[in-house]
Amino acid sequence: MALYNQQELYIYNSQATKKEKFLPVNEGLVGMYVCGPTVYNKVHLGNCRTFISFDLVFRYLKHLDYKVRYVRNITDAGHLENDAEEGEDRIAKKARLEELEPMEVVQKYTVDFHDILREFNNIPPSIEPTATGHIVEQIEIIKTIVDKGLAYEANGSVYFDVMEYHKNNHYGILSGRKIEDLIANTRELAGQSEKKNPQDFALWKKAEPQHIMRWPSPWGVGFPGWHLECTAMSTKYLGEEFDIHGGGMDLKFPHHECEIAQGKAATGKDPVHYWMHANMLTLNGKKMAKSTGNNILPEEIFTGNSKHLSKAYAPTVARFFMLQAHYRSILDFSDEALQAAEKGFDRLMEAMQQIDKLPTSNTSSLDVSNWKQKCYDAMNDDFNSPILIAHLFDAVKMINAIKVEKEYISKEDLQILKESMHSFVFDVLGLKSKEAAVQKDGNSTQVDSLVKMLINLRAEARANKDFATSDKIRDQLFEMGVELKDNKDGTVFTVKA
């Protein structure tokens, strides 16, 4: 019997604003879509928390024996600088600033995104489609919505008619916003004169002469609106109705609200059964912002090269720290919190090493089966990882008590304890022992940290015009098989095979 038939999973549905029993569209199968990154810069830590949260969801659904199709997109076109559909395409702007082709920018930061999530031990999605790879599908959806009278063309652009849609549907059903309030709070913006109503959003935008990312369409040369790609890709790979749609809390409005409207307009069906939203990450009690310097990149955690940190932390420790908070709660990131998480992580891993060495008895003084079900109850309660972790530390106490013979355990119960701890620690939470976590493409994260420290020392030497020391560091690293390459963004290194 599949494990999902033995456990009742409840998910907090953002649209219903309550926990609901999870019943997939098709028994035994789960379709899950998560909004991926816009690849115009290095992935920031808040994004990583979201993707780690949905990696936990993915892992637990698989653990319950569901066959899961997890789709997470890459936005490589169409995302303008703000949600008012003004400004330059973010990727095109980065390409102009870095003097690169847009697809070079996409490739550079997609690789960075994958590298960082690999460090965090995220399982890759089943499908990772791109916006530019689905222009045809997006155009077809626009044509359908226009034919139904719920979108209109204006000066080479196509806009979704929110007021017309709202006559028979509920625009605001996810975010809880009222259309009257949206109208009252709208400010006039450039280009909105093309729209029937300021609340209307772009399905297709006419490309101005300077816009370098452009495609032909029935309405002229242009590019798709940002909201449309997720509707096109989720529909193509998961169907007109699917189980779970996830993303950060900041995407609830307007992005996800617009997705619901587009999907309902195109197919007549509510596309998503369970909406899930991960909350934000703060740093030292304040909102993360690059402009104020209250910001940290994932790689800075791994190297310790940040003013906010006293030392480097293994990616698996950072992952453990994030999972100590429920995905719907705000989490504050700090050096002190990471230090505490590392101590807890080390205690957990030490206990994992002791399980095989525990003595067994004919009977047990501990109720291991009850403990195991408590672990499932935690995850069945909207993927409550902090409660699960608390139960895992109850098991740590059990292991330590058995070790000093204050408690005793049967061979059968020890096997249950061992298998359950392995499943929840490694398979569900996705943690690694530090010994396993140091492996990265054949090289350790410690080596990475040491090389980056030497790169920083070399940069200081060059700044002080101590070129002899700078060259010595470069040459000795080269002899050790580490080649440094200087570019306008700094110094990168490669390790020879």
Side-chain angles (χ1 to χ4, degrees), residues 111 119 158 192 257 273 314 345 362 422 435:
V111 169
E119 289 277 21
V158 180
Q192 285 195 338
E257 195 74 69
H273 285 209
F345 176 86
N362 291 328
H422 188 281
E435 290 75 16

Side-chain angles (χ1 to χ4, degrees), residues 45-79:
L45 201 57
N47 281 147
C48 290
R49 187 201 178 187
T50 295
F51 299 129
I52 288 170
S53 295
F54 286 104
D55 184 64
L56 174 72
V57 173
F58 184 32
R59 285 173 175 273
Y60 188 59
L61 291 170
K62 285 163 66 76
H63 175 76
L64 291 180
D65 297 324
Y66 283 111
K67 183 178 180 181
V68 187
R69 178 176 288 178
Y70 174 20
V71 182
R72 186 185 67 212
N73 69 303
I74 294 286
T75 296
D76 57 353
H79 196 171

